[in-house]
Amino acid sequence: MEANEQRAIGILTSGGDAPGMNAAIRAVTRAAIFAGFKVFGIMRGYKGLITDEIEEFSTQNVSNIIQRGGTILKTARCKEFQTKEGRQCAYDVLQRHGISALVVIGGDGSLTGARIFANEFQFQIIGLPGTIDNDLYGTDSTIGYDTALNTIMDCVDKIRDTATSHERLFFIEVMGRDAGFLALNGAIASGAEAAIIPEVATQEDQLDELIANGFRKSKNSSIVLVAESPSTGGAMGLAERVKKEYPNYDVRVSILGHLQRGGSPTAYDRILASRMGAAAVDALLDDQRNVMIGIKNDEIVYVPFTKAIKNDKPINRELMSTLRRLSI
Amino acid sequence: MEANEQRAIGILTSGGDAPGMNAAIRAVTRAAIFAGFKVFGIMRGYKGLITDEIEEFSTQNVSNIIQRGGTILKTARCKEFQTKEGRQCAYDVLQRHGISALVVIGGDGSLTGARIFANEFQFQIIGLPGTIDNDLYGTDSTIGYDTALNTIMDCVDKIRDTATSHERLFFIEVMGRDAGFLALNGAIASGAEAAIIPEVATQEDQLDELIANGFRKSKNSSIVLVAESPSTGGAMGLAERVKKEYPNYDVRVSILGHLQRGGSPTAYDRILASRMGAAAVDALLDDQRNVMIGIKNDEIVYVPFTKAIKNDKPINRELMSTLRRLSI
Amino acid sequence: MEANEQRAIGILTSGGDAPGMNAAIRAVTRAAIFAGFKVFGIMRGYKGLITDEIEEFSTQNVSNIIQRGGTILKTARCKEFQTKEGRQCAYDVLQRHGISALVVIGGDGSLTGARIFANEFQFQIIGLPGTIDNDLYGTDSTIGYDTALNTIMDCVDKIRDTATSHERLFFIEVMGRDAGFLALNGAIASGAEAAIIPEVATQEDQLDELIANGFRKSKNSSIVLVAESPSTGGAMGLAERVKKEYPNYDVRVSILGHLQRGGSPTAYDRILASRMGAAAVDALLDDQRNVMIGIKNDEIVYVPFTKAIKNDKPINRELMSTLRRLSI
Amino acid sequence: MEANEQRAIGILTSGGDAPGMNAAIRAVTRAAIFAGFKVFGIMRGYKGLITDEIEEFSTQNVSNIIQRGGTILKTARCKEFQTKEGRQCAYDVLQRHGISALVVIGGDGSLTGARIFANEFQFQIIGLPGTIDNDLYGTDSTIGYDTALNTIMDCVDKIRDTATSHERLFFIEVMGRDAGFLALNGAIASGAEAAIIPEVATQEDQLDELIANGFRKSKNSSIVLVAESPSTGGAMGLAERVKKEYPNYDVRVSILGHLQRGGSPTAYDRILASRMGAAAVDALLDDQRNVMIGIKNDEIVYVPFTKAIKNDKPINRELMSTLRRLSI
């Protein structure tokens, strides 16, 4: 790139959508234009890179989107990008548009794709952690997690209205593939009796203990949040077991499902997305590459892709103890 | 009752709970105290009548509950009340407390029980229509219906965020046993493509037509609301069929479930419950018996139990045509 | 217009914006395209007619707007349209585009403008009642009213949290120029102690009565909703008077202001706007002119402009009595 | 206290109420009972200490309150507690009940009172930071701040609907005595154009700059958040100045007021309050005294009262830069 040439960057969202992705798109676009870059919006994640669904963005393209759920860039799975030929095609498209860097917003699968592409073509990529699961290492929070947590809490608040009126035991299944953040924090936030999460191997004992001395003692209804992960059996599996062993319980199951991904983002997610989006542009100016923007102790940090997608972010054990002490 | 004696009435909620039941309890209690009555809150529906879970209520007992979902009186199914002995026991308890009239808040099952009891013991009962299903004849709306409709709409708004981002076909199952009010009006309110409701016998054709020329033409995602009634097959049944016949569609199912019963009631439901609760006391003063309070053309009406529970409230066909015209 | 020519209609929003206007724009656009019309969106109300800010709309232009507050067509005051010259200019623009009918969404001022223009140029205009004030005659409800009512209720719910915690007297001012619908129904919905509305001449006595025997007897906080109309003095005026006469009261004022106009529309408003929008197209097909679409007893009706803007829609006195009985 | 005697603690809320106080009351009560303590709820802050409005709490007293705004213990100002006699009286009441420690939930004024009392009588007190202003030193966040921030954002989202429809300049005043956290973060979260906050001395220049090159260039509406602090002039003051100097601007003012203090707490505030409440009991068991529970980098910390109420918590300057870059 010559000094007098205007730099061009692309932005895309990939993988499962998460609330706040639009706030991130807005932030990257505006901070980049503020820095003097041209910005291209790439549709449908890596797919749009290959099919050349690319449009130049002005500040107006991202007006009035900060409050919207979903992603205006849409997202899709893309098998072609998993092949060398697909990635070569994507690279050619980027070259044709003069795009010299990418900002990729997504979860661990998306960042894995970014890492491979970046290495293969020595391409500059900055990642933003966009996933409701909060399962990326190196950042205290991911874009979408706080909104999903509040959505879950609002749903459980509603279910508690009816659970209390009817005196029932509810198993409520929430998202979080192999990560119990949403289930555990959702349980504390909604005053649920327990959370069954994949990080705890002895989850069956949890349930036994819960049933043995937990609910129906002083309480007239109980709510248990269950992470959808196969290792927990899911809400259905637990309910079946309880119905068999304790046939006199009035057990109900609710699977919250896809509504957890949607909705207008919370203040926390909008601010996080705005800060991370601006930081992605700083990272580009700073000639960073192959890093995900993270937040640690309220400060922006750069996390190498290889570290971020290791996926072993630990659950805070203090929270489990808090949940148990408060559900008496 | 002698002239100088203070009259005592009881109030209970029965059947499935509905948002606005607390607003109705508050209204009945306060309007009755305003009229000089003593008021007794009866816990757990007809069950509490038999087990004598009865407490005198002051205006304070119903303070700060208008905004709460569920019912502070709780609700339960009660098999004993379906027997002559159970009802006799309930009558004896009422006599012991000096309670000479009941206000029963619930759906058709609850009002059926009220009708039998009223006839058997010549007991004065006024019913309030409390059910999210809106399936009681003789009233334009039931307490809880507007809130459930808004809850459904909010959920579909969230799901549409992710449906649009991913370009998917969603079947969303909503409540409404044998009544399509929630599915049809929910579809219009949320801008869904179609509603599959029990009132329309040819629902399969609806789906064929929808698939044949409806979605995936100019649209990049489609949402279909499905009433839970067995006659529609439910969301799962429809999804299975589509997946078999159109394997290239990216089909998803969401069952909204119990959260539809909860939540803080809307303005409409709180006002409706307040007016109906006050009207129930007017009806008592007016020596009405065996009537449900209804609302027709924004005026309070009395509907004989026998008419209200006939259950053949028709769907407005104009709405079906509106939905079709607006989903192009 | 010849038989084989495609008919073209224009749509605009005018006056104060109201939630549900976008749902109405969507409905008119889609029902018109369904009927075979061409549809033009006119920006900034009557102003855009004069300045020729007009764009043809496809079904996509109104995708994904049903849930959004405000109006994508924007709205503005337009003095030029109050002159003969301005209106002539508007007419010429319409002729140039081949637009032979207008759908105008707005309040009484907007419909007055429509009536004058329609008479002057024998132009076919259908009106939709879009205003949060609910002050148009001939329709049970206007688009935006239900949403504003719920917004007010949500705000009062929040203020009650702090009012109850602090044991205070709150005067909360709500919109409703010379119409007490929002204040009165908002008071019932939020469990407020009283509403001061312009329709009741003796409002000062209301306040005296309220203070004399109402609050601070058994209650530890009181909330009074006040319509902004000058004839009530507004919340500030009332608070001043109370502070002077009852200096030991802890009085607070809150003026809800413009947030009452915004927000995602409720299910009721979206359905109302959808039905009215479709009905406007029916009215055009039916060769109606100079009528506002209204809703009466859940049926669509046509209301001549001259009747609709008379503006003497009465308050339901039963509601005032209900409020008093329930605030004991 | 002898070893075989059950320890008794008191809990009170003081100062301005904040959402999440009930979640904190629940957490302290349950964690204390879990630890084997007796728990007393003290009504109306320090006032209830003096007037002996004290009640023993069981786990049921705090059931189903985690989701409610306000404080079930109520709060009040108390001049008597500012006198030596008042505090002596409070101490005597505590002795009479056998209460040997207090948990005080409130802002800096409340913690200042706690510090004086603790020193005077060598009384064990643990503080919890409960204030929407987030102005306590030594903790990343205070209970209520996240909820207030989201409430502000929701209000600004609504106002933006109408601002955009009408193309106006809005000054929106938010709470935050001498602390710009709510205004600055609220501006970022809502996509506002600017925030006028007390921490920035040159706030007038901010406004000049904003007007000179900011809004009305590419934007059709502008929203400025203003902290209520006198040093900013407030929203009214700024609006007056703009109206005088730029008479052609369509300027509006909205003062959000007391609704910012209410509402159901967010997930963040409920979890924060739950963790801090449990930590307060840990601190008591740990024989801590005169410390406020804080959260730093997601870990619980103890902050001496003297440090916490120094009140010089700095604004993150990165946020100001982010706001400016994103409002182009």
Side-chain angles (χ1 to χ4, degrees):
Chain A
M1 190 179 71
E2 298 182 22
N4 59 350
E5 209 183 317
Q6 192 186 11
R7 187 161 186 203
I9 67 163
I11 175 167
L12 63 83
T13 50
S14 169
D17 62 315
M21 281 187 164
N22 281 328
I25 294 166
R26 171 184 179 267
V28 172
T29 301
R30 294 202 165 172
I33 291 173
F34 187 90
F37 296 174
K38 285 172 81 167
V39 178
F40 289 91
I42 298 159
M43 299 301 291
R44 293 177 182 73
Y46 296 121
K47 199 173 181 183
L49 265 191
I50 295 173
T51 58
D52 197 356
E53 283 191 273
I54 295 179
E55 184 190 353
E56 189 173 345
F57 266 23
S58 72
T59 62
Q60 265 75 14
N61 285 82
V62 296
S63 281
N64 219 8
I65 67 167
I66 194 173
Q67 78 279 19
R68 288 202 229 157
T71 158
I72 61 166
L73 293 175
K74 301 190 189 302
T75 177
R77 292 204 207 99
C78 180
K79 286 189 182 160
E80 298 91 323
F81 197 74
Q82 291 172 23
T83 67
K84 173 87 188 160
E85 294 72 29
R87 291 192 296 271
Q88 180 67 51
C89 174
Y91 181 72
D92 296 343
V93 169
L94 287 168
Q95 290 293 98
R96 214 151 54 226
H97 285 281
I99 296 172
S100 64
L102 279 180
V103 177
V104 171
I105 310 169
D108 56 353
S110 308
L111 298 187
T112 301
R115 189 178 61 79
I116 294 168
F117 186 79
N119 288 339
E120 214 159 44
F121 298 95
Q122 298 303 312
F123 205 83
Q124 189 182 17
I125 304 188
I126 305 295
L128 292 192
T131 165
I132 64 168
D133 294 343
N134 198 27
D135 59 354
L136 286 164
Y137 187 83
T139 186
D140 289 344
S141 195
T142 56
I143 297 167
Y145 168 66
D146 186 63
T147 305
L149 190 58
N150 277 280
T151 298
I152 289 168
M153 181 188 78
D154 288 342
C155 289
V156 179
D157 279 356
K158 285 187 171 66
I159 293 172
R160 186 177 39 212
D161 284 341
T162 188
T164 308
S165 299
H166 281 282
E167 313 190 322
R168 284 169 171 167
L169 167 58
F170 265 92
F171 289 100
I172 303 177
E173 186 172 304
V174 301
M175 286 188 170
R177 296 162 306 170
D178 304 318
F181 294 100
L182 287 172
L184 177 55
N185 284 283
I188 295 175
S190 60
E193 271 63 34
I196 309 288
I197 61 174
E199 285 86 348
V200 180
T202 55
Q203 75 276 12
E204 305 223 344
D205 299 333
Q206 285 178 65
L207 185 65
D208 276 333
E209 188 196 316
L210 178 74
I211 284 168
N213 51 27
F215 57 77
R216 296 295 170 103
K217 196 169 281 176
S218 60
K219 303 203 159 201
N220 50 30
S221 70
S222 287
I223 290 176
V224 178
L225 264 64
V226 185
E228 68 177 351
S229 168
S231 71
T232 65
M236 278 298 188
L238 287 166
E240 286 311 313
R241 204 183 127 214
V242 172
K243 277 186 212 166
K244 207 176 336 177
E245 297 182 25
Y246 304 84
N248 61 326
Y249 280 2
D250 192 4
V251 182
R252 290 291 187 282
V253 168
S254 190
I255 297 171
L256 296 189
H258 284 84
L259 64 88
Q260 296 169 80
R261 293 203 175 283
S264 183
T266 57
Y268 185 91
D269 273 333
R270 296 192 200 178
I271 295 168
L272 182 67
S274 297
R275 292 176 68 183
M276 286 183 161
V281 174
D282 291 338
L284 289 174
L285 291 167
D286 200 26
D287 206 27
Q288 294 288 325
R289 46 184 65 225
N290 285 354
V291 295
M292 181 189 82
I293 305 296
I295 190 124
K296 274 287 186 191
N297 196 11
D298 203 41
E299 298 290 337
I300 293 293
V301 293
Y302 298 149
V303 188
F305 282 160
T306 43
K307 283 186 79 171
I309 58 191
K310 262 167 138 179
N311 219 11
D312 55 350
K313 191 169 172 181
I315 281 280
N316 185 340
R317 293 283 162 152
E318 173 218 323
L319 293 175
M320 303 206 56
S321 146
T322 298
L323 176 58
R324 185 158 43 235
R325 289 156 75 192
L326 301 191
S327 63
I328 60 171
Chain B
M1 190 177 71
E2 297 182 24
N4 59 351
E5 210 182 317
Q6 193 185 12
R7 186 160 187 205
I9 68 162
I11 174 167
L12 62 84
T13 50
S14 169
D17 61 317
M21 281 187 162
N22 281 328
I25 294 166
R26 171 184 179 267
V28 172
T29 301
R30 293 201 167 173
I33 291 172
F34 187 88
F37 295 175
K38 286 173 82 166
V39 178
F40 289 90
I42 298 159
M43 300 300 291
R44 294 177 181 72
Y46 295 121
K47 199 172 181 183
L49 265 191
I50 295 173
T51 58
D52 198 355
E53 282 191 273
I54 295 180
E55 183 190 354
E56 188 172 348
F57 266 22
S58 72
T59 62
Q60 266 75 14
N61 286 82
V62 296
S63 280
N64 220 7
I65 66 167
I66 193 173
Q67 79 278 19
R68 287 203 230 156
T71 157
I72 61 166
L73 292 176
K74 302 190 189 300
T75 176
R77 292 204 207 97
C78 179
K79 285 189 182 160
E80 297 91 324
F81 198 72
Q82 290 172 25
T83 67
K84 174 85 188 162
E85 294 71 30
R87 290 191 296 272
Q88 180 65 53
C89 174
Y91 180 73
D92 296 343
V93 168
L94 287 168
Q95 291 293 98
R96 211 149 55 227
H97 285 281
I99 296 172
S100 65
L102 279 180
V103 177
V104 171
I105 310 170
D108 57 352
S110 307
L111 298 186
T112 301
R115 189 178 59 80
I116 294 169
F117 185 80
N119 288 337
E120 213 160 46
F121 297 97
Q122 299 303 311
F123 204 83
Q124 190 183 17
I125 305 188
I126 305 295
L128 293 192
T131 165
I132 65 168
D133 293 344
N134 199 28
D135 59 355
L136 286 164
Y137 187 83
T139 186
D140 289 344
S141 195
T142 55
I143 297 166
Y145 168 66
D146 186 62
T147 305
L149 190 58
N150 277 281
T151 298
I152 289 167
M153 182 188 77
D154 288 342
C155 289
V156 180
D157 279 357
K158 286 188 170 66
I159 293 172
R160 185 177 39 212
D161 284 341
T162 187
T164 309
S165 299
H166 282 281
E167 312 189 323
R168 285 170 169 165
L169 166 59
F170 264 92
F171 289 101
I172 302 177
E173 186 172 304
V174 302
M175 285 188 170
R177 295 162 309 169
D178 305 316
F181 295 100
L182 288 172
L184 177 55
N185 284 284
I188 295 176
S190 59
E193 271 63 34
I196 308 288
I197 60 174
E199 286 85 350
V200 179
T202 56
Q203 76 276 13
E204 305 223 343
D205 300 332
Q206 283 178 67
L207 186 65
D208 276 331
E209 188 195 316
L210 178 74
I211 285 167
N213 50 28
F215 57 75
R216 296 296 169 101
K217 197 169 282 177
S218 59
K219 302 204 161 201
N220 50 30
S221 69
S222 286
I223 289 177
V224 178
L225 264 64
V226 186
E228 68 176 350
S229 168
S231 71
T232 66
M236 279 298 188
L238 287 166
E240 286 311 313
R241 204 184 125 213
V242 172
K243 277 186 212 166
K244 209 180 328 180
E245 297 181 25
Y246 305 84
N248 61 326
Y249 279 3
D250 192 5
V251 181
R252 290 290 187 282
V253 168
S254 190
I255 295 171
L256 295 189
H258 284 85
L259 63 88
Q260 295 169 81
R261 293 203 175 282
S264 183
T266 58
Y268 185 91
D269 273 333
R270 296 193 200 177
I271 295 169
L272 183 67
S274 297
R275 292 176 68 184
M276 286 183 161
V281 174
D282 290 338
L284 289 173
L285 290 167
D286 200 25
D287 208 27
Q288 293 289 325
R289 46 184 65 224
N290 284 354
V291 295
M292 180 190 82
I293 305 296
I295 191 123
K296 273 287 186 190
N297 197 10
D298 202 42
E299 297 290 337
I300 292 291
V301 293
Y302 298 149
V303 188
F305 283 159
T306 43
K307 283 186 79 171
I309 60 192
K310 260 168 139 181
N311 219 12
D312 55 351
K313 192 169 172 181
I315 282 278
N316 185 340
R317 292 283 161 153
E318 173 218 323
L319 293 175
M320 302 206 58
S321 147
T322 298
L323 175 58
R324 187 158 41 237
R325 291 157 74 193
L326 302 191
S327 62
I328 61 171
Chain C
M1 192 179 71
E2 298 181 24
N4 59 351
E5 210 182 318
Q6 193 185 12
R7 186 157 189 208
I9 68 162
I11 176 167
L12 61 83
T13 51
S14 169
D17 61 317
M21 281 186 163
N22 280 329
I25 294 166
R26 170 183 179 269
V28 172
T29 301
R30 294 202 165 172
I33 291 173
F34 187 89
F37 295 174
K38 285 172 80 167
V39 179
F40 289 90
I42 298 159
M43 300 299 292
R44 293 178 181 71
Y46 296 121
K47 199 173 181 183
L49 265 191
I50 295 173
T51 58
D52 198 356
E53 283 191 273
I54 295 180
E55 183 190 354
E56 189 172 347
F57 266 23
S58 72
T59 62
Q60 266 74 15
N61 285 84
V62 295
S63 280
N64 220 7
I65 67 168
I66 194 173
Q67 79 279 19
R68 288 202 229 157
T71 157
I72 61 165
L73 292 176
K74 299 190 190 300
T75 177
R77 291 203 208 98
C78 179
K79 285 189 183 160
E80 297 91 324
F81 198 73
Q82 291 172 24
T83 67
K84 174 86 189 161
E85 293 72 29
R87 291 191 296 271
Q88 180 66 53
C89 175
Y91 181 72
D92 296 344
V93 168
L94 287 168
Q95 290 294 97
R96 213 151 53 227
H97 285 280
I99 296 171
S100 66
L102 279 180
V103 177
V104 171
I105 310 169
D108 58 351
S110 308
L111 299 186
T112 302
R115 188 180 58 81
I116 293 169
F117 185 80
N119 288 338
E120 215 160 44
F121 297 97
Q122 298 304 311
F123 204 84
Q124 190 183 18
I125 305 189
I126 305 297
L128 292 192
T131 164
I132 64 168
D133 293 343
N134 199 28
D135 59 354
L136 286 163
Y137 188 85
T139 187
D140 289 343
S141 195
T142 56
I143 297 166
Y145 168 66
D146 186 63
T147 305
L149 190 57
N150 277 281
T151 298
I152 289 168
M153 182 188 78
D154 288 342
C155 289
V156 179
D157 279 357
K158 285 187 170 65
I159 293 172
R160 186 178 38 213
D161 284 341
T162 187
T164 308
S165 298
H166 282 282
E167 312 191 324
R168 284 170 170 164
L169 167 58
F170 265 91
F171 288 102
I172 302 176
E173 186 171 304
V174 302
M175 286 190 170
R177 295 161 309 169
D178 304 317
F181 294 101
L182 287 172
L184 177 55
N185 284 284
I188 294 175
S190 60
E193 271 64 35
I196 309 288
I197 60 174
E199 285 86 348
V200 179
T202 56
Q203 76 276 15
E204 305 223 342
D205 300 332
Q206 285 178 64
L207 186 64
D208 277 332
E209 189 194 316
L210 178 74
I211 284 167
N213 51 29
F215 56 73
R216 295 298 168 99
K217 198 168 278 176
S218 60
K219 301 202 159 202
N220 50 30
S221 70
S222 287
I223 290 177
V224 178
L225 263 63
V226 186
E228 67 176 351
S229 167
S231 72
T232 66
M236 280 295 189
L238 287 166
E240 286 311 314
R241 205 185 127 212
V242 172
K243 277 186 213 167
K244 208 179 334 178
E245 296 181 26
Y246 304 85
N248 60 327
Y249 280 4
D250 191 5
V251 181
R252 290 290 187 283
V253 168
S254 190
I255 296 171
L256 295 188
H258 285 84
L259 63 88
Q260 295 169 80
R261 292 202 175 285
S264 183
T266 57
Y268 184 92
D269 273 334
R270 296 192 200 178
I271 295 168
L272 183 67
S274 297
R275 293 176 68 183
M276 286 183 161
V281 174
D282 291 337
L284 289 173
L285 290 167
D286 199 27
D287 207 27
Q288 293 288 325
R289 44 185 65 226
N290 284 353
V291 296
M292 181 188 83
I293 305 297
I295 191 125
K296 274 289 186 189
N297 197 12
D298 202 43
E299 297 290 336
I300 293 291
V301 292
Y302 300 148
V303 189
F305 282 160
T306 42
K307 283 186 78 171
I309 60 193
K310 262 167 137 181
N311 219 13
D312 55 350
K313 191 169 172 181
I315 281 279
N316 185 340
R317 292 283 162 154
E318 173 218 322
L319 293 176
M320 303 207 55
S321 147
T322 298
L323 175 58
R324 187 159 40 239
R325 290 156 74 192
L326 302 191
S327 62
I328 60 171
Chain D
M1 193 178 72
E2 297 182 22
N4 59 350
E5 210 181 317
Q6 193 184 13
R7 188 161 186 204
I9 68 162
I11 175 168
L12 62 83
T13 51
S14 169
D17 62 316
M21 280 185 163
N22 281 329
I25 294 166
R26 170 183 179 270
V28 172
T29 301
R30 294 202 165 171
I33 290 173
F34 186 89
F37 295 174
K38 286 172 81 166
V39 179
F40 289 91
I42 299 159
M43 300 300 292
R44 295 177 180 72
Y46 296 121
K47 199 172 179 182
L49 264 191
I50 294 173
T51 57
D52 197 356
E53 282 190 272
I54 295 179
E55 183 189 354
E56 189 173 347
F57 267 23
S58 72
T59 61
Q60 266 75 14
N61 285 83
V62 295
S63 280
N64 220 7
I65 67 168
I66 193 174
Q67 79 279 18
R68 288 202 228 158
T71 157
I72 61 165
L73 292 176
K74 300 191 191 299
T75 175
R77 290 203 209 99
C78 179
K79 285 187 183 161
E80 296 91 324
F81 197 73
Q82 290 171 23
T83 66
K84 173 85 189 163
E85 292 72 29
R87 291 191 296 271
Q88 180 65 53
C89 175
Y91 180 73
D92 295 344
V93 168
L94 287 168
Q95 291 292 99
R96 213 151 54 227
H97 285 280
I99 296 171
S100 64
L102 279 180
V103 177
V104 171
I105 310 169
D108 57 352
S110 307
L111 297 187
T112 302
R115 188 179 60 81
I116 294 169
F117 186 79
N119 288 337
E120 215 160 44
F121 297 97
Q122 299 304 310
F123 204 84
Q124 190 183 17
I125 305 189
I126 305 296
L128 293 192
T131 165
I132 65 168
D133 293 344
N134 198 28
D135 59 354
L136 286 164
Y137 187 84
T139 186
D140 289 344
S141 195
T142 56
I143 297 167
Y145 168 67
D146 186 63
T147 305
L149 190 57
N150 278 282
T151 299
I152 289 168
M153 182 188 76
D154 288 342
C155 289
V156 179
D157 278 357
K158 286 187 170 66
I159 292 172
R160 187 178 38 213
D161 284 341
T162 187
T164 308
S165 298
H166 281 283
E167 311 190 325
R168 285 170 169 164
L169 167 59
F170 264 92
F171 289 101
I172 302 177
E173 186 172 305
V174 301
M175 285 188 170
R177 294 163 309 168
D178 305 317
F181 294 100
L182 288 172
L184 177 55
N185 285 283
I188 295 175
S190 59
E193 271 63 35
I196 308 288
I197 61 173
E199 285 85 349
V200 180
T202 56
Q203 75 277 13
E204 305 222 344
D205 299 332
Q206 284 178 65
L207 186 64
D208 276 332
E209 188 195 316
L210 177 74
I211 285 167
N213 51 28
F215 57 76
R216 296 296 169 100
K217 197 168 280 176
S218 59
K219 302 204 160 200
N220 50 30
S221 70
S222 288
I223 290 177
V224 178
L225 264 64
V226 185
E228 68 175 352
S229 167
S231 71
T232 65
M236 279 296 188
L238 287 166
E240 287 311 314
R241 204 183 128 214
V242 171
K243 278 185 210 167
K244 209 179 332 179
E245 296 181 24
Y246 305 84
N248 61 327
Y249 279 5
D250 191 5
V251 181
R252 290 290 186 282
V253 168
S254 190
I255 296 171
L256 295 188
H258 285 84
L259 63 88
Q260 295 168 81
R261 292 203 176 282
S264 182
T266 57
Y268 185 92
D269 273 334
R270 296 193 200 177
I271 294 169
L272 183 67
S274 297
R275 292 176 68 184
M276 286 182 160
V281 174
D282 290 337
L284 289 174
L285 290 167
D286 199 26
D287 206 26
Q288 294 288 325
R289 44 185 65 225
N290 284 353
V291 295
M292 180 189 82
I293 305 297
I295 190 126
K296 274 289 187 189
N297 196 10
D298 203 42
E299 297 291 337
I300 292 292
V301 294
Y302 299 150
V303 188
F305 282 159
T306 43
K307 284 186 79 171
I309 60 192
K310 261 168 138 181
N311 220 11
D312 55 350
K313 192 168 170 182
I315 281 278
N316 185 341
R317 293 283 162 153
E318 173 218 325
L319 293 175
M320 303 207 56
S321 148
T322 299
L323 176 58
R324 187 159 41 240
R325 290 157 74 192
L326 302 191
S327 62
I328 60 171

